[in-house]
Amino acid sequence: MTLAAASGFRRLFGNDPTGVWAAPGRVNLIGEHTDYNEGVVLPFAIAERTEAAIASRQDGHIRMCSLQHPGEIVELKVRSLSPGLPRGWAAYVAGVAWAMECEEGFDLAIDGSVPLGSGLSSSAALTCSVGLGLNDLFGFGMTHRQIARAAQAAENDYVGAPTGGMDQIASLLCRSGHALLYDVRADTTEQVPFAPEAAGLSVLVVDSMIRHGHASGEYQSRRQDCEESARRLSVRSLRGVTVADLPIALEQLGDERLVKRTRHVVTENQRVLDIAAALARDDWERVGRLLTEAHESYRDDFAASCPEVDVAVEALLEAGALGARLTGGGFGGAAIALIGTDDIDDARSAVDAAYDERNYQPASMFTVMPSAGAQRIA
Ligand code: GLA
């Protein structure tokens, strides 16, 4: 996969970039809507990524272009950065410069291969490639964790998407051949070896092509449900409730919707830890079962799935996947399956047939490998 941020930069701005920085999207293996509840998550970086080619400017102007939006150059002054301006993809770049309190201008060209709106975190790939680049270029001396926080602030406070911090941490800290166990409350990370290919398995992504928008609506309302549940249970966040506490806590909530949301978050935290333990034992059958249980919880209790993803999960399981689930923020996007590498062709045909039967637009399917986190590439 060759991306073209550097050549796009040269073509558009007429000079060389000072450097090129790349940051990956991620698959969240498990741990959905647990991050903003101070819980645990287990994402891994994928090879699909965003590249940012950048050079500084002396006149305090920012000029940005994206190879995914040909012909458009967005220009503004670094001193006029303010949440809400500009809109669209450029807000993610401007938001990072704002969160890092940039005082100098720059030219920037981006190119990306993470499918947009599929739940594979194209936004973190964008903000983290830009954050890593600006940090190097202007010598801010920030650690990867600090860059992750700035990237998250760009999304939360500049773009206005109320997401948690998993995606940015994953994009910056993941390592090839590993998933990253991130405990938000403790603010600790652990590299968990994750090599399904050694067991003859693959992770197949089935992108339903149904698009979500995290800046609006459902994501936010799930977050509010979780906050309301924590308030009623007198805990700082739902991380303060364990599976053992659950029966009493659910009784105390006295609201069917909050019961379901809480049950998802609390059991999901436990499944994350259980999958990490199963991976350590190479118990792939158990990993698969937990993935499917997580899907049921995400679909039924958290009500964050959609028919197209549910149909994909079902077809994948029928085609012999060890487990399958909706990954990412929900309300569309992609399913992942842990599946025998030899069964991939059958699984693809099964999904195609199920989609065709229902007149859904065809899904996009590809395998992913646990890949490296963000880095300077030129
Ligand atoms: C999106 C958000 C993350 C996380 C997931 C759900 O990807 O950006 O912070 O909340 O949804 O697990």
Side-chain angles (χ1 to χ4, degrees):
M1 176 191 44
T2 325
L3 295 179
S7 55
F9 186 103
R10 273 181 221 109
R11 196 172 60 245
L12 282 148
F13 299 123
N15 55 301
D16 284 333
T18 309
V20 183
W21 292 264
R26 58 101 191 94
V27 156
N28 190 18
L29 186 61
I30 193 162
E32 235 49 279
H33 289 253
T34 49
D35 59 353
Y36 58 76
N37 288 300
E38 296 189 300
V40 279
V41 291
L42 191 62
F44 64 89
I46 56 179
E48 289 70 17
R49 62 188 187 182
T50 296
E51 286 182 7
I54 321 179
S56 59
R57 292 171 62 93
Q58 306 307 314
D59 62 359
H61 283 244
I62 300 175
R63 290 193 299 175
M64 358 173 197
C65 62
S66 157
L67 274 67
Q68 277 64 55
H69 297 266
E72 181 189 356
I73 295 187
V74 180
E75 183 160 358
L76 74 167
K77 287 190 193 136
V78 75
R79 303 192 93 184
S80 65
L81 287 172
S82 133
L85 257 182
R87 301 227 170 259
W89 64 270
Y92 291 82
V93 179
V96 176
W98 172 82
M100 293 175 111
E101 299 179 1
C102 270
E103 290 181 346
E104 287 176 62
F106 54 89
D107 285 336
L108 168 145
I110 54 170
D111 190 14
S113 59
V114 186
L116 305 182
S118 59
L120 303 181
S121 216
S122 56
S123 56
L126 174 55
T127 54
C128 294
S129 62
V130 173
L132 196 66
L134 296 181
N135 183 54
D136 269 6
L137 195 65
F138 295 130
F140 292 144
M142 292 165 74
T143 64
H144 277 41
R145 272 160 189 273
Q146 289 169 324
I147 297 170
R149 274 195 278 277
Q152 188 190 352
E155 289 206 37
N156 292 170
D157 305 330
Y158 202 94
V159 176
T163 56
M166 159 173 68
D167 304 338
Q168 300 79 7
I169 287 281
S171 186
L172 283 155
L173 298 187
C174 278
R175 293 207 192 127
S176 132
H178 292 78
L180 185 76
L181 180 60
Y182 173 36
D183 181 327
V184 178
R185 183 174 62 185
D187 195 21
T188 54
T189 55
E190 186 188 327
Q191 301 287 343
V192 175
F194 180 59
E197 67 284 359
L201 298 167
S202 294
V203 177
L204 177 66
V205 173
V206 177
D207 183 352
S208 71
M209 308 306 283
I210 303 295
R211 293 306 181 228
H212 63 68
H214 286 164
S216 60
E218 299 286 358
Y219 183 99
Q220 166 97 343
S221 95
R222 294 305 179 281
R223 191 168 177 157
Q224 283 163 350
D225 283 350
C226 293
E227 283 160 7
E228 173 62 13
S229 302
R231 203 185 55 75
R232 290 195 190 187
L233 296 170
S234 308
V235 286
R236 193 175 81 172
S237 69
L238 286 182
R239 181 65 185 283
V241 183
T242 65
V243 170
D245 304 331
L246 207 49
I248 293 174
L250 297 186
E251 206 160 299
Q252 210 176 317
L253 280 172
D255 174 292
E256 184 55 20
R257 197 181 74 235
L258 298 183
V259 160
K260 288 176 153 193
R261 308 296 186 250
T262 301
R263 188 165 54 206
H264 167 74
V265 171
V266 173
T267 57
E268 185 82 344
N269 278 326
Q270 187 59 49
R271 281 187 291 271
V272 172
L273 300 176
D274 290 348
I275 283 207
L279 283 173
R281 299 192 304 270
D282 267 337
D283 186 349
W284 294 98
E285 297 279 339
R286 173 115 176 104
V287 171
R289 278 197 304 278
L290 287 161
L291 292 177
T292 307
E293 276 175 30
H295 181 70
E296 288 160 5
S297 172
Y298 204 22
R299 179 192 63 200
D300 300 337
D301 276 350
F302 217 65
S305 191
C306 66
E308 291 80 356
V309 172
D310 293 341
V311 164
V313 165
E314 220 164 281
L316 289 161
L317 292 172
E318 271 169 26
L322 267 52
R325 61 177 289 270
L326 165 61
T327 189
F331 314 103
I336 51 164
L338 180 66
I339 189 162
T341 304
D342 294 342
D343 295 329
I344 288 178
D345 288 346
D346 287 350
R348 281 171 170 273
S349 309
V351 172
D352 278 337
Y355 269 43
D356 198 41
E357 201 177 298
R358 289 164 182 82
N359 286 324
Y360 294 165
Q361 64 169 317
S364 157
M365 296 183 251
F366 51 97
T367 55
V368 284
M369 292 287 281
S371 302
Q375 55 195 306
R376 183 174 188 159
I377 56 168

